[in-house]
Amino acid sequence: MTGNSKFAIYGALAANLCIAAVKFVAASITGSSAMISEGIHSTVDSGNSLLLLLGMKRSRRPADAGHPFGHGKEIYFWSLIVAILVFSLGGGMSVYEGISHLQHPVELSDPMWNYIVLLSAMVFEGASLVYTIRQFNKSRGKLGFWKELSMSKDPGLFAVIYEESAAIAGLIIALVGVWLGHYFQNPVFDAAASILIGLVLVFVAITMVRESKGLLVGESAGKPIVKGIYNLVNSEPRVHTLYYPLTMHLAPNEILLALDVEFKGDMTVKELFGTIKHLEDQIKKEYPSVKKIYIEAKNFEGKEKPWEDL
């Protein structure tokens, strides 16, 4: 987990706490269903930021007897919990609020407070989103932005980007709903906006669940890293056959690598050990995220007895 993702979460948390309070004040004054949904949305986002920070802290715990590979995957567990909360509390409550106002319309008062709060929230949410995207761009590859985001292994960045994008979309929907409601003097538009906000949150939650689930069950490193490792090891003159590298993310910046390698049979045991050490050093130098490497030497018969050269 990078410092960039931590700062992005802190920035999103501060913005959401302030915005949630103002939204609820505006909703209590104007009676807007969309504003209530937006207040719920910002409150859920604030709680989600705290859960991600908790996951980051717990994932840094060192390895122990019960968890010999460390606790890095815990951040993926908490990102899954965040996705579930976005779905249930954010999406579910917003849809419920909209349906409730459709069944029992509330007369809307002066919308000025709604406009002020929504436009101010757009500025804060937009600033948080731009900052997070800049942090993400520092580490992303050469593929398109959305492709790289879907391949990201850092919930501290992709979760914030998804949430802030949903927040901007929700604010736009709320602004249009409030304006239409007052222009036509019909609260149905405001209630419909609340339902649409909920559906946006449900879509984002499903996307986050898919991302977190893949990482939690043991997702491979990105193809450029796997292909790069394969080419690096295969270029070693003493390697006869290299099978496809097996990788798994233990944390956003911690990869487990397992290699099945057939070395050439004219090597001594000492040369074999030296070659393996050289390969491990080269891999860790080129790919610092690869923290643990296991190389299984197959079909090897050294010229000398195993322990005489050591």
Side-chain angles (χ1 to χ4, degrees), residues 231-242:
N231 292 335
L232 187 155
V233 177
N234 206 41
S235 64
E236 167 59 46
R238 293 172 174 173
V239 171
H240 182 270
T241 303
L242 171 63

Side-chain angles (χ1 to χ4, degrees):
M1 185 68 62
T2 64
N4 291 338
S5 59
K6 189 173 183 179
F7 289 136
I9 295 174
Y10 277 126
L13 174 61
N16 284 319
L17 284 173
C18 295
I19 294 170
V22 177
K23 284 177 180 176
F24 279 124
V25 172
S28 66
I29 295 174
T30 63
S32 169
S33 172
M35 286 301 298
I36 294 175
S37 296
E38 277 299 302
I40 294 171
H41 182 185
S42 295
T43 302
V44 172
D45 282 352
S46 300
N48 291 343
S49 296
L50 292 173
L51 290 178
L52 287 174
L53 290 172
L54 173 64
M56 291 172 63
K57 180 178 180 180
R58 293 180 64 85
S59 69
R60 290 195 295 266
R61 290 181 296 168
D64 53 37
H67 300 84
F69 291 105
H71 297 78
K73 282 183 176 289
E74 188 147 351
I75 182 60
Y76 301 142
F77 167 77
W78 288 106
S79 68
L80 180 63
I81 297 300
V82 164
I84 293 172
L85 290 177
V86 171
F87 182 91
S88 59
L89 295 181
M93 292 184 67
S94 293
V95 171
Y96 171 81
E97 186 68 26
I99 293 175
S100 176
H101 276 69
L102 282 176
Q103 295 174 335
H104 309 286
V106 177
E107 183 178 352
L108 300 177
S109 59
D110 184 4
M112 185 57 63
W113 271 101
N114 287 341
Y115 294 141
I116 292 174
V117 171
L118 289 172
L119 292 173
S120 299
M122 283 184 183
V123 173
F124 288 113
E125 298 281 14
S128 176
L129 178 60
V130 169
Y131 176 78
T132 305
I133 290 176
R134 285 180 177 176
Q135 301 306 311
F136 177 72
N137 285 337
K138 291 179 181 179
S139 59
R140 76 179 179 94
K142 298 180 180 179
L143 300 177
F145 174 81
W146 292 108
K147 181 66 173 179
E148 289 286 345
L149 184 63
S150 67
M151 295 169 56
S152 174
K153 316 298 181 183
D154 190 347
L157 288 176
F158 74 68
V160 174
I161 290 176
Y162 283 135
E163 286 185 351
E164 295 299 335
S165 298
I168 296 295
L171 289 168
I172 294 173
I173 293 171
L175 187 63
V176 172
V178 170
W179 182 81
L180 289 174
H182 283 274
Y183 184 81
F184 292 101
Q185 290 298 305
N186 190 342
V188 169
F189 290 102
D190 184 62
S194 180
I195 295 174
L196 286 177
I197 292 170
L199 294 178
V200 168
L201 293 176
V202 167
F203 173 77
V204 169
I206 292 173
T207 303
M208 291 174 61
V209 165
R210 186 179 67 248
E211 297 283 348
S212 300
K213 176 251 184 185
L215 292 166
L216 193 59
V217 301
E219 191 169 295
S220 169
K223 288 184 179 179
I225 294 179
V226 177
K227 185 176 180 180
I229 292 173
Y230 180 88
N231 292 335
L232 187 155
V233 177
N234 206 41
S235 64
E236 167 59 46
R238 293 172 174 173
V239 171
H240 182 270
T241 303
L242 171 63
Y243 297 92
Y244 190 78
L246 302 178
T247 61
M248 182 173 65
H249 266 273
L250 301 176
N253 294 309
E254 186 175 342
I255 298 172
L256 169 68
L257 170 64
L259 293 172
D260 279 351
V261 185
E262 290 186 10
F263 291 93
K264 293 185 177 179
D266 59 351
M267 298 167 58
T268 66
V269 174
K270 186 174 184 178
E271 288 172 338
L272 172 66
F273 288 172
T275 301
I276 291 175
K277 179 66 165 59
H278 172 73
L279 289 174
E280 290 178 344
D281 292 342
Q282 285 294 103
I283 292 171
K284 290 182 177 181
K285 180 180 179 181
E286 293 293 326
Y287 304 98
S289 294
V290 179
K291 305 297 185 182
K292 294 177 174 61
I293 302 175
Y294 298 92
I295 299 179
E296 182 176 352
K298 292 181 175 292
N299 298 335
F300 176 78
E301 294 180 2
K303 293 189 300 183
E304 302 176 20
K305 294 182 180 180
W307 306 112
E308 290 183 351
D309 292 333
L310 303 181

